[in-house]
Amino acid sequence: MPVPARRLPSWAWVTGLTAGAIAGVVVLTAQAESGPHPTASAVKSPRASASAGAKPSSAPKPSAPSQAVRVPEKSGTGRRVVYSLGQHRVWLVDADDTARRTFTVWPGTVNPAVGSYTVSVRKAAVTGSDGVAIEHVVYFSAASGVNIAFSNAVDGSSPPPAAAGAQTGGIRMPKADGTALWAFGETGTKVRVVD
């Protein structure tokens, strides 16, 4: 008389497969952390074009070569994004403290406090608080109950003037600069806000 084969219960299979998947993710994460991190490209960005109904409150100047505008002093060291409130300018700085790209931005109506932050959340595309479709959204702070993030309009336009009393935390930039910041600003990247 044949002996029936013993079968493993389904929970044992699920547990084994889950443990194997978690081990695989841990190994891949360790390899990714020890690998190279992306650097910002030095591609010159085109000027942002305004859409039919959107006019900027003040147009940012075209992107400048990294050597023309120096990274502000006391903006930290190492790989980071530096945002100057007074200059309305962003620098993408590599680990060797070399500014790989710098560009001007359109700030929102709510500014982050001067200080150090890290990129906490990234979203590929959302609708901004002003109703504009935006992409490359890189969140790093909140102030007065408003999330602060870098982004660019999907159509490359400048932001429309904010409604009276509106609180917006979007720091908008031309599309090419938004693409560069998205590639550079991974979750966990340092962000330094200076005056």
Side-chain angles (χ1 to χ4, degrees), residues 33 38 79-83 90-93 115-124 136-142 147-151 171 173 178 180-193:
E33 286 296 321
R79 189 173 187 281
R80 65 197 183 280
V81 176
V82 178
Y83 172 46
V90 169
W91 290 262
L92 305 181
V93 183
S116 296
Y117 305 91
T118 57
V119 172
S120 55
V121 176
R122 293 166 28 112
K123 294 193 176 188
H136 304 135
V137 187
V138 178
Y139 294 92
F140 67 93
S141 178
N147 289 320
I148 309 293
F150 299 112
S151 65
I171 302 165
M173 58 200 65
L181 193 140
W182 178 259
F184 186 85
E186 304 167 320
T187 301
T189 299
K190 293 187 293 185
V191 178
R192 178 72 179 162
V193 178

Side-chain angles (χ1 to χ4, degrees), residues 64-142:
S66 299
Q67 297 77 16
V69 181
R70 298 181 66 97
V71 177
E73 292 183 17
K74 299 182 183 177
S75 66
T77 59
R79 189 173 187 281
R80 65 197 183 280
V81 176
V82 178
Y83 172 46
S84 170
L85 298 171
Q87 295 182 45
H88 299 174
R89 178 172 290 280
V90 169
W91 290 262
L92 305 181
V93 183
D94 281 335
D96 63 358
D97 289 325
T98 302
R100 297 296 177 194
R101 187 180 186 108
T102 183
F103 48 89
T104 53
V105 296
W106 294 282
T109 60
V110 177
N111 285 326
V114 170
S116 296
Y117 305 91
T118 57
V119 172
S120 55
V121 176
R122 293 166 28 112
K123 294 193 176 188
V126 297
T127 299
S129 57
D130 55 5
V132 174
I134 58 175
E135 63 184 354
H136 304 135
V137 187
V138 178
Y139 294 92
F140 67 93
S141 178

